[in-house]
């Protein structure tokens, strides 16, 4: 079993910042890709940022230059630093980890954390 625990969401004013964290624990042999997704009301879930082996990153065009994804391999944790937030960033943010759990390579998902950007 693998558990993903997210934290750091909340309410912030436009232009503000938040940092999300996602810690993976349990039966983990190898982690390949860690990523953040988000889903706004009435919209499909979209990829926000991903990181591979702590070096290679990729971002959605809408967050480039504002969001930074990072990874602590020793702690099996990823972070999403979000700056210059706008109301369009309001969504439930989910972390996703592609890993080998000793039986299969598959994706695990966190429970989601709400980010609300409003004045």
């Amino acid at each position: 079993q693998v558990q993903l625990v997210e934290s750091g969401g909340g309410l912030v004013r436009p232009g503000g910042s938040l940092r999300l964290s996602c810690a993976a624990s349990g039966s983990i042999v190898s982690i390949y890709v860690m990523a953040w997704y988000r889903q706004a009301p009435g919209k499909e879930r979209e990829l926000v940022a991903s990181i591979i082996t702590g070096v290679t990153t990729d971002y959605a065009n809408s967050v480039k230059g504002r969001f930074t994804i990072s990874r602590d391999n020793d702690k099996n944790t990823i972070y999403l630093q979000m700056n210059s937030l706008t109301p369009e960033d309001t969504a439930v943010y989910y972390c996703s980890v592609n890993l080998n759990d000793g039986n299969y390579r598959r994706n695990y998902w966190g429970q989601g954390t709400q980010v609300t950007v409003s004045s």
Side-chain angles (χ1 to χ4, degrees):
Q1 290 289 340
V2 174
Q3 297 80 39
L4 302 183
V5 178
E6 302 169 5
S7 61
L11 173 64
V12 65
R13 295 186 183 276
S17 299
L18 282 175
R19 190 174 88 147
L20 306 182
S21 301
C22 173
S25 63
S27 179
I28 299 172
V29 175
S30 298
I31 293 178
Y32 303 106
V33 183
M34 304 182 83
W36 289 97
Y37 287 75
R38 67 185 181 187
Q39 188 166 20
K43 295 186 177 181
E44 294 186 353
R45 190 172 297 189
E46 63 173 351
L47 176 65
V48 176
S50 63
I51 185 166
I52 302 173
T53 66
V55 176
T56 303
T57 59
D58 191 25
Y59 296 91
N61 287 334
S62 59
V63 306
K64 282 182 180 177
R66 301 188 298 121
F67 291 11
T68 302
I69 189 171
S70 59
R71 175 173 167 174
D72 185 332
N73 291 325
D74 292 337
K75 296 180 179 179
N76 290 335
T77 299
I78 55 168
Y79 306 94
L80 186 67
Q81 178 66 44
M82 305 184 293
N83 299 328
S84 301
L85 285 161
T86 73
E88 288 68 38
D89 296 314
T90 296
V92 178
Y93 285 70
Y94 299 90
C95 70
S96 173
V97 180
N98 182 264
L99 58 82
N100 183 322
D101 61 10
N103 293 307
Y104 303 101
R105 176 175 175 173
R106 54 186 161 188
N107 287 333
Y108 286 85
W109 291 87
Q111 79 282 3
T113 185
Q114 177 70 46
V115 172
T116 302
V117 185
S118 175
S119 56

